[in-house]
Amino acid sequence: MMALLIDSSHNRASGGPVRKDHASRWIYFLILVMILLAVGVVRYRLLDFPLERDEGGFAYIGRMILQGVAPYREAYDFKPPGLYLTYALVMGLFGQTPRGIHFALLLTDLSSIVLIYFIARRYMDETASLAAALVMGILSLTPNVLGFAAHATHFVVFWMLAGYLLLLRSPGKHERTWLILSGMAFGLSAMMKQPGLLFILFGCLLFFLRQPEGGRRLLIDFGVFLAGVVIPVSGMVAWLAMSGDLGRFLYWNFAYGSEFGTRIGLSDALVQFTGELGRVTAHWELLWLAALLGLVFAFIRPPLNRGHLHLAGLLIASFVALGLGFQFRSHYFVMLLPSVSLYCGFACFRAAAFMTRRLRPEVARAIGFGMILLAVGYGGLYQWNYFFRDDPVSLSRQIYFPNPFAEAPAIASFVESQTRPGDRVAVLGSEPEILFLAGRQSATRYLYMYFFMEVHPASLEMQREAAADIAGSSPPVVVLVTQPISWGTRPQSERYIFEWANAYLKKKYELVGIVDQISPDRTEYRWEDEMHSYARLAEASVLIFRRRS
C-alpha cells in the first residue's frame, strides 16, 4: 500500500501527465475501497452482536411505529422521534433482527467514512484524506466507544457529516439546492439525538465562515439553509401533533431531562470525563496524540479556505455535544471522532509537507500515511480478539457483564413459548431487548425503570403508574431482573415498586425460570422443573414468573 501512495503533481512533472494522474486517482480510490472493505469485514463479523438495552428500546419503539403506533404513546423514552423512525425504516428494509439493525449500522458507518474522506479533501491532499477516513472507520468500530452497537450517536454523526459536506459543496451551480439539502441533513442530525442541536449551530457558523461577505444575498441564502433545517423538524412535530403525542414528546425530550434528570456537579463531571476519556483512548493513544498534533499544526500552518476555523468550530460543537448535561458515556465520544479523524489527517498532511524538504513528495506522503497506519496497527494488535477472533456473544459477556444482554435471546425464547402473540409481558428492570426479541408488547409504558429510580419529585408517581399498568393488564408472564445495574438504584431512590412487586408476584405468580450469570464465561439456565433442585437460586440474575391459573 505504501508504494501506491503516488503524488499526482510529481507525475505531471516527470512525464505522462494525463495517464499517470488518472492512474493515481484510481489508486487512491482503490485504497479507500480497501479501507471500507476492511472495516466492513469486521463489522459484518459482528452483525450478530446481542442487542443491548438502548438498542432494544429503539427497536421496540421502531417496531411499534411499523405497527402504526406513534412513539411516546405506549413506550416512554427521551430520544427524538427521528431515531425511532430510523429504526423502523432499517427494520422494514433489513428485518426486525439484531443482524438487520447492525447491517444498517454497517452501511451508516461506511457512509460516514466516505463523507470524512471528501470533507478532508477540502483541506488536505488525498493521502491525508485517506488517513482521516481510516481513523474514522477504525475508531468508530472499537469497543472503546461501543462501536458494535447502533447507538443514536452514529446516526447523529452521519447526518452532521452529510450536512457539512453539502455546505462545503454549495457555492456555484445549484447553490441554494445544496443549501437546503445541507440544512435538512443538519436538522435530521438533531432529530436523532438532542446534542445534534449543537451541530445545527456549527452548520450556521460554517455557513458564515465559508461565505464571509455580507449583503442581502447572504441573508437570503442563510434563510434557505435554515428552511432546510426546519423541514424535517417541523415535519416530525406535525406528525406527532396529528397523532396526539406532541405533549408526551415535549415532556420526555425536554421537561424530564431538565427538571428531573440526574444532577451532576462540575467536579463529579470532570472525574467522570477523565475516567471515560481514559477508557475511550486506551490502546489508541497514538491516534489521539496525532489528532492533538494536528490541532496544533492547524493553527501554526492553517489549511486553505479558513479550514482551521471550520475544524475548530466542529471540535467545539462536538465537545459541547459530548458533555451536554454533564453526562459522559463511552458511546457519546462517537460524536468527537470526526474531529479526531480530520485532525489525524491534518497531522499526516503537515508531517509529509515537512519531510518533503529532504524526501521526494510521494515518499514523504507514504511515510506520513504509514505513521497513521502504524498507530492503527498498534491499537489493533491490543484488540485483536475483538476484531478477528472472539464471537459476538462472548464479546458481549466480556464487555457488559453482569448485564443480561447475551442471555436475552434465551430469555425471550422462553417468554415467547409461555405466551401468545398479542399478550403483554412485564419486564421489571430496564431490559426492553427481551420484549423486542420475544415479539411481545410491554405491560407498562416504562421500558426503562431507571427513569423512576432517579431522585426527583415525580419518581413515586411514576412507580405507581408502572405498577398500575402491570396490574391492569395482568400479564401472563413477568420477568424480574435482579441485577441492580438494570435498575440504576440510588440510596435515596423510592422503593415502592419493589415492595409492590414482591407482594404482587407472591400473590398471583409462580416461578418458572431462572437465569444465573455466574461469570462472563458461564451462565446457567433452569426452566420449570429443572430449577427446583438448583442450589444457587438466591443468586439468580433473572427470574421468570408465570401467572397462576
Side-chain angles (χ1 to χ4, degrees), residues 327-373:
Q327 291 277 6
F328 298 96
R329 302 286 185 269
S330 54
H331 58 284
Y332 293 2
F333 282 80
V334 170
M335 294 184 289
L336 198 58
L337 296 186
S339 284
V340 173
S341 303
L342 290 169
Y343 279 124
C344 278
F346 196 70
C348 170
F349 178 65
R350 293 312 315 169
F354 177 79
M355 288 185 287
T356 53
R357 300 174 184 178
R358 296 180 177 274
L359 301 171
R360 293 170 56 191
E362 65 270 24
V363 175
R365 292 153 81 101
I367 292 174
F369 184 85
M371 293 166 62
I372 298 296
L373 196 60

Side-chain angles (χ1 to χ4, degrees), residues 9-20:
S9 61
H10 179 77
N11 289 337
R12 286 192 292 271
S14 57
V18 175
R19 180 171 55 84
K20 289 190 177 181

Side-chain angles (χ1 to χ4, degrees), residues 178-238:
W178 298 121
L179 281 174
I180 201 165
L181 290 174
S182 173
M184 290 175 66
F186 278 111
L188 286 168
S189 178
M191 295 310 294
M192 300 295 120
K193 188 178 174 70
Q194 291 88 338
L197 293 169
L198 275 299
F199 293 121
I200 293 178
L201 296 179
F202 163 68
C204 294
L205 173 66
L206 184 62
F207 174 87
F208 289 105
L209 286 174
R210 58 175 272 288
Q211 193 171 322
E213 67 278 2
R216 183 170 177 270
R217 177 181 173 82
L218 179 67
L219 293 177
I220 293 173
D221 287 349
F222 186 57
V224 171
F225 172 73
L226 290 181
V229 172
V230 169
I231 287 172
V233 176
S234 60
M236 291 185 191
V237 168

Side-chain angles (χ1 to χ4, degrees), residues 218-418:
L218 179 67
L219 293 177
I220 293 173
D221 287 349
F222 186 57
V224 171
F225 172 73
L226 290 181
V229 172
V230 169
I231 287 172
V233 176
S234 60
M236 291 185 191
V237 168
W239 171 54
L240 291 170
M242 289 187 292
S243 68
D245 295 295
L246 182 58
R248 297 186 188 93
F249 158 71
L250 294 173
Y251 175 80
W252 284 103
N253 281 264
F254 298 102
Y256 175 80
S258 61
E259 294 179 22
F260 303 142
T262 301
R263 302 288 189 267
I264 296 181
L266 179 60
S267 59
D268 291 336
L270 288 174
V271 170
Q272 188 183 94
F273 171 73
T274 54
E276 208 63 44
L277 181 64
R279 284 186 283 272
V280 166
T281 59
H283 311 309
W284 302 96
E285 294 89 350
L286 292 178
L287 287 180
W288 285 79
L289 178 60
L292 182 60
L293 292 174
L295 171 63
V296 174
F297 291 154
F299 282 89
I300 294 175
R301 296 290 299 274
L304 298 176
N305 304 320
R306 303 161 67 90
H308 63 300
L309 298 179
H310 298 180
L311 298 183
L314 176 62
L315 176 63
I316 293 169
S318 302
F319 190 80
V320 176
L322 163 68
L324 205 62
F326 283 179
Q327 291 277 6
F328 298 96
R329 302 286 185 269
S330 54
H331 58 284
Y332 293 2
F333 282 80
V334 170
M335 294 184 289
L336 198 58
L337 296 186
S339 284
V340 173
S341 303
L342 290 169
Y343 279 124
C344 278
F346 196 70
C348 170
F349 178 65
R350 293 312 315 169
F354 177 79
M355 288 185 287
T356 53
R357 300 174 184 178
R358 296 180 177 274
L359 301 171
R360 293 170 56 191
E362 65 270 24
V363 175
R365 292 153 81 101
I367 292 174
F369 184 85
M371 293 166 62
I372 298 296
L373 196 60
L374 284 173
V376 168
Y378 172 81
L381 284 175
Y382 274 99
Q383 296 182 344
W384 182 268
N385 291 345
Y386 168 80
F387 285 111
F388 301 112
R389 197 186 78 172
D390 291 349
D391 66 271
V393 174
S394 297
L395 288 171
S396 179
R397 290 193 169 111
Q398 293 169 27
I399 294 168
Y400 283 123
F401 183 84
N403 288 287
F405 304 152
E407 289 72 24
I411 298 169
S413 179
F414 181 71
V415 168
E416 187 177 7
S417 72
Q418 299 292 309

Side-chain angles (χ1 to χ4, degrees), residues 50 54 77 89 129 206 214 276 279 316 349 392 428 502 532:
D54 283 357
D77 196 11
L89 175 63
S129 301
L206 184 62
E276 208 63 44
R279 284 186 283 272
I316 293 169
F349 178 65
L428 292 169
N502 185 51
H532 296 301

Side-chain angles (χ1 to χ4, degrees), residues 36-59:
L36 294 171
L37 284 174
V39 174
V41 165
V42 177
R43 283 207 173 276
Y44 188 83
R45 197 183 79 82
L46 300 175
L47 288 184
D48 292 318
F49 213 100
L51 296 180
E52 44 91 85
R53 63 175 56 94
D54 283 357
E55 292 177 295
F58 305 154

